[in-house]
Amino acid sequence: QVQLQQWGAGLLKPSETLSLTCAVYGGSFTGYYWSWIRQSPGKGLEWIGEINHSGSTNYNPSLKSRVTISVDTSKNQFSLKLNSLTAADTALYYCARRWELFRYMDVWGKGTTVTVSS
Amino acid sequence: EIVMTQSPATLSVSPGERASLSCRASQSVSSNLAWYQQKPGQAPRLLIYGASTRATVIPARFSGSGSGTEFTLTISSLQSEDFAVYYCQQYNNWPPITFGQGTRLEIK
């Protein structure tokens, strides 16, 4: 059964860069898109973007200028970088999986809380 | 960007009763709609995709209906474990994929 394990720094300062990584265990890395989604009290669930094993990416236009999602197929991992952080980026960040042909997420990581504060 | 609006924000229902949760899209999303359940401290869990198809191991008391802009998630006989927050998500017009703001289902 596929599991997603995620990690990264939880406390950052304004203007810094968020960096999170998600590892895929127990399943294939190909045939899927690997997503980042965040959840905050103010904005609810917000899709950030996604990547597949070939490195093809899709981003939320509202965040595109600040987001980079990358993949390391040798480790079955994918990563999120979000720069120029502000307090509005404080949220619970999830990694998740979707099939290449369908755009709903069927497997989710447990989430990483990221707080942006000076 | 398609805006998803869920109603009501909070729904109070007694165990064993039926619950109906609504989701409206700002423009047609065809049947490209999913429902998720989220319990405190947990990630969302996929319940329904394609507006009406239950995901793997989801009990038959959960059903989805609708197409276009109006969708409903129905839980036929509420069990204690069903009290949670429910989100709809459209995946017809993207990027971005967008979610509703959620309906909290609480015990009456």
Side-chain angles (χ1 to χ4, degrees):
Chain A
Q1 182 178 352
V2 64
Q3 293 187 338
L4 305 183
Q5 182 175 339
Q6 55 182 109
W7 66 89
L11 180 60
L12 295 164
K13 291 180 166 53
S15 80
E16 291 186 335
T17 297
L18 174 159
S19 181
L20 299 176
T21 298
C22 185
V24 180
Y25 296 106
S28 173
F29 200 66
T30 59
Y32 301 96
Y33 269 84
W34 303 95
S35 303
W36 290 99
I37 295 155
R38 66 183 183 180
Q39 184 172 32
S40 62
K43 297 198 74 174
L45 288 163
E46 182 177 29
W47 178 79
I48 300 170
E50 62 184 10
I51 192 167
N52 70 0
H53 70 283
S54 301
S56 177
T57 55
N58 297 296
Y59 295 126
N60 189 324
S62 69
L63 297 168
K64 188 173 183 177
S65 64
R66 298 195 292 130
V67 173
T68 301
I69 298 176
S70 58
V71 66
D72 184 342
T73 55
S74 68
K75 297 180 180 179
N76 280 9
Q77 295 177 2
F78 60 107
S79 298
L80 168 70
K81 290 190 185 298
L82 179 65
N83 60 32
S84 303
L85 293 174
T86 70
D89 295 310
T90 294
L92 180 56
Y93 286 74
Y94 291 104
C95 57
R97 182 189 85 168
R98 72 160 178 93
W99 296 80
E100 280 195 338
L101 295 180
F102 307 106
R103 300 186 191 111
Y104 49 83
M105 279 59 74
D106 67 337
V107 180
W108 295 64
K110 294 184 183 301
T112 300
T113 298
V114 174
T115 303
V116 182
S117 175
S118 56
Chain B
E1 173 176 319
I2 294 182
V3 177
M4 307 301 293
T5 303
Q6 292 185 240
S7 61
T10 303
L11 182 61
S12 299
V13 183
S14 300
E17 293 189 339
R18 180 189 190 96
S20 293
L21 290 66
S22 294
C23 175
R24 175 177 294 177
S26 60
Q27 63 188 79
S28 176
V29 299
S30 186
S31 294
N32 294 313
L33 184 109
W35 289 94
Y36 299 84
Q37 176 193 67
Q38 188 177 31
K39 296 180 179 179
Q42 297 184 16
R45 177 175 72 143
L46 178 67
L47 296 176
I48 301 282
Y49 60 89
S52 61
T53 302
R54 279 190 305 278
T56 307
V57 304
I58 299 303
R61 64 180 182 272
F62 290 90
S63 63
S65 62
S67 66
T69 62
E70 301 282 344
F71 301 88
T72 301
L73 174 69
T74 301
I75 310 170
S76 60
S77 178
L78 281 164
Q79 308 296 305
S80 58
E81 63 266 29
D82 300 335
F83 292 96
V85 181
Y86 292 83
Y87 295 94
C88 60
Q89 174 229 317
Q90 71 82 22
Y91 50 94
N92 189 65
N93 288 27
W94 73 291
I97 292 167
T98 52
F99 295 85
Q101 81 280 17
T103 290
R104 180 179 305 278
L105 181 58
E106 63 176 28
I107 300 175
K108 186 174 183 180

